[in-house]
Amino acid sequence: MTKAKDVQVGSVGLNTRVFRSRTWDRLKFEVEYGLSRGTTANSFIIEGDKIALIDPPGESFTDIFLSALDQRIPLNKIDYVILGHVNPNRCNTINKLLKQAPHITFITSNTGAKSLQTIFNNTYPETIAENILNIISVKSDYELDLGKEHLLEFITTPNPRYPDQLLTFDNNSKIFYTDKLFSAHVCGDQILDEGWKIYQEDRRYYFDCVIAPYGTQIVKAIEKIQQKNAYIYATSHGPLVRYGLTELTGLYSQWLENQQNQSLNVALIYASAYGNTAILANAIARGITKAGVRIESINAEFANSEEIKTAIQQCDGFIFGSPTLGGHAPTQIQSALGIALANADTNKLAGVFGSFGWSGEAIDLLESKFKDGGYRFGFDTIRVKFKPTEEILKTCEEAGTDFAQALKKRKKALKPKESADNSLSARTEQALGRIIGSLCVVTTKRHDLKGAMVASWVSQATFNPPGFTVAVAKERAIESLLPIGSKFVLNILEEGKHIELMKYFLKPFAPGEDRFANIESQEAENGCPILSSALAYIECEVSKRLECGDHWVVYAIAKNGKLLSDTGVTAVHYRKSGTHY
């Protein structure tokens, strides 16, 4: 039974409370919500001589949040609203709050102030007519004394996705309000991260989806955070970070360094009128980063021409995304297009995507210009009408992975062939290749999304409970469908009957293509496909995941299984080298 939304309130410091607007359902069809663990939207109240509200939630929680807040602090007593970032969704709550407290002063970054004024002018003109917004615009570091030893310091940390991002540090309580940084979309009762390691995969997933594409800017933000002796990271989503603060900060630095040190680099340049194109961009970026390729996401609306030129010149491939406004691409995209055509070598891989309402001329323009310019495409152009669905986001993620793999293949093809030798590494590779494993096909289904992959790195791991491990390459499309708690079927192939199945599932699939269109299968009790010609199958649930280099090692518990052939023998895979399957 689905739980209703609610607001959990707790004390996190002197005169400081958190209001956690919670839902156990997936809130949005955006890639960072892909683990479907629900989410919390964390807001904070600091009561000094003046009262400050930090980060009111979006419209999904507007009414229950304002009701919970008003029961503890009369809304007309709030003096300041501090915004880590501004978006139309959050402004719905702000507009209703202003009806009760028109005197409120907003504190946001300079870019956020412009966005706030624009959103209210366009969406809530009646509020503007009744009240002029009182805004303190923070261009650089700024301080606010609330009294009772609450001195707040504001730090601007812009990035292409959140160009208005503003962090807040309370010098008294040592609470750092980190907005999106260190967040995770997970819903539960814990206010602080007690048993913090259980959230590590959720935080890593959020990092890969939201943070990694903006590594250059995030590195600078982390440096600013580390200069303060913070006691708690008060995040926008998920449990607040207290017990794992030092470890998580170190992991962020490690993940950022790994991302920045990748040898291949993609420039993702986009603009987004209503947020839909940005959602597609995030999904494509996720696919690229999971394949081990660095990405530099650039919002053309906030980047200057020199930034775009440098990114185009230094990248190995580039991808453009655009909405269609009045039958045209936004001016910023047209300018960026001209920069790309003038500065990008034609041997660089290209890609195009975009969303539209009634027509898609901007997407057609980008595609035709790059084709006419002689560029090769890393995936088929993606055209999305209105809001993207979960299936579309999965297609975008797979397109990003295909793009990254195409770059890797080209790099490998250009690399000089190494002559065979008898070195230590060569001998080790040969020996490692002699480790054999059963040939299997992992199949899974989540909602309307299906996935499959050939797996030969499979091994029983435990007797009680009955469990085994399977290695899944990070760039596999199925990887994002196998979080902890997910279900899948391990189909064990039969010697002499495995060749056709293996060839079929090893072939390249187009992004979003149905893996089971021409395969005889039936549905298991856990809802995942069973291959009818398999030797045996095991219905499984993912219990743990361990990140190991370029693979995830997934530990699964066997819940049910059946031998489909009494006389068959398990097909095994023999390799000559440990450097490839």
Side-chain angles (χ1 to χ4, degrees), residues 182 196 203 233 241 244-253 255:
F182 309 112
W196 64 271
R203 297 197 192 281
Y233 290 160
V241 183
L245 187 148
T246 301
E247 291 83 355
L248 184 57
T249 306
L251 284 171
Y252 253 60
S253 297
W255 296 337

Side-chain angles (χ1 to χ4, degrees), residues 347-398:
N347 64 347
K348 293 188 177 184
L349 211 59
V352 172
F353 69 96
S355 64
F356 58 93
W358 306 108
S359 58
E361 291 90 345
I363 308 168
D364 297 335
L365 168 70
L366 293 172
E367 182 182 48
S368 63
K369 289 293 185 181
F370 291 135
K371 281 186 175 178
D372 293 344
Y375 296 96
R376 187 166 61 89
F377 281 62
F379 55 77
D380 292 336
T381 297
I382 298 172
R383 296 174 171 85
V384 178
K385 191 171 184 179
F386 302 122
K387 283 187 174 294
T389 63
E390 186 174 16
E391 291 82 1
I392 289 172
L393 292 185
K394 184 61 177 170
T395 297
C396 289
E397 181 184 305
E398 292 177 13

Side-chain angles (χ1 to χ4, degrees), residues 226-280:
Q226 289 178 315
Q227 291 173 6
K228 308 296 181 184
N229 186 26
Y231 179 72
I232 290 175
Y233 290 160
T235 58
S236 287
H237 306 291
L240 280 59
V241 183
R242 166 66 185 96
Y243 299 102
L245 187 148
T246 301
E247 291 83 355
L248 184 57
T249 306
L251 284 171
Y252 253 60
S253 297
Q254 178 185 319
W255 296 337
L256 286 165
E257 183 179 0
N258 292 342
Q259 177 70 9
Q260 295 299 95
N261 288 340
Q262 299 294 344
S263 59
L264 292 170
N265 171 36
V266 174
L268 177 59
I269 300 166
Y270 69 94
S272 189
Y274 303 104
N276 295 331
T277 305
I279 292 172
L280 301 178

Side-chain angles (χ1 to χ4, degrees), residues 139-153:
K139 296 182 180 179
S140 56
D141 297 351
Y142 177 80
E143 291 183 345
L144 173 67
D145 190 349
L146 293 177
K148 296 184 180 178
E149 299 183 0
H150 286 286
L151 178 63
L152 305 185
E153 182 180 349

Side-chain angles (χ1 to χ4, degrees), residues 127-356:
T127 300
I128 294 297
E130 297 170 3
N131 172 55
I132 298 175
L133 289 175
N134 302 309
I135 304 175
I136 294 176
S137 174
V138 179
K139 296 182 180 179
S140 56
D141 297 351
Y142 177 80
E143 291 183 345
L144 173 67
D145 190 349
L146 293 177
K148 296 184 180 178
E149 299 183 0
H150 286 286
L151 178 63
L152 305 185
E153 182 180 349
F154 302 104
I155 302 166
T156 55
T157 55
N159 64 68
R161 182 168 182 179
Y162 302 105
D164 58 343
Q165 186 168 260
L166 183 73
L167 309 186
T168 303
F169 181 64
D170 187 334
N171 281 278
N172 176 46
S173 65
K174 301 299 180 183
I175 297 176
F176 214 133
Y177 300 90
T178 58
D179 195 51
K180 298 296 184 179
L181 296 173
F182 309 112
S183 285
H185 284 307
V186 58
C187 187
D189 293 327
Q190 288 183 236
I191 293 177
L192 298 175
D193 59 336
E194 300 171 75
W196 64 271
K197 285 190 176 181
I198 65 174
Y199 302 112
Q200 186 165 321
E201 185 184 353
D202 298 284
R203 297 197 192 281
R204 175 60 189 270
Y205 182 82
Y206 189 92
F207 172 90
D208 287 340
C209 293
V210 179
I211 306 300
Y214 316 106
T216 301
Q217 295 83 6
I218 300 300
V219 167
K220 297 176 182 177
I222 297 299
E223 289 174 352
K224 291 182 178 181
I225 291 173
Q226 289 178 315
Q227 291 173 6
K228 308 296 181 184
N229 186 26
Y231 179 72
I232 290 175
Y233 290 160
T235 58
S236 287
H237 306 291
L240 280 59
V241 183
R242 166 66 185 96
Y243 299 102
L245 187 148
T246 301
E247 291 83 355
L248 184 57
T249 306
L251 284 171
Y252 253 60
S253 297
Q254 178 185 319
W255 296 337
L256 286 165
E257 183 179 0
N258 292 342
Q259 177 70 9
Q260 295 299 95
N261 288 340
Q262 299 294 344
S263 59
L264 292 170
N265 171 36
V266 174
L268 177 59
I269 300 166
Y270 69 94
S272 189
Y274 303 104
N276 295 331
T277 305
I279 292 172
L280 301 178
N282 297 334
I284 292 171
R286 161 71 173 152
I288 292 171
T289 56
K290 70 182 284 187
V293 172
R294 182 163 63 92
I295 187 164
E296 183 175 359
S297 287
I298 297 176
N299 188 333
E301 298 170 83
F302 299 97
N304 59 51
S305 58
E306 197 58 37
E307 288 178 81
I308 295 173
K309 179 180 177 181
T310 300
I312 288 292
Q313 290 177 334
Q314 294 180 351
C315 71
D316 297 285
F318 58 87
I319 302 172
F320 268 66
S322 177
T324 298
L325 303 175
H328 302 282
T331 302
Q332 298 95 329
I333 288 294
Q334 295 187 43
S335 299
L337 172 62
I339 294 171
L341 293 173
N343 292 278
D345 296 335
T346 55
N347 64 347
K348 293 188 177 184
L349 211 59
V352 172
F353 69 96
S355 64
F356 58 93

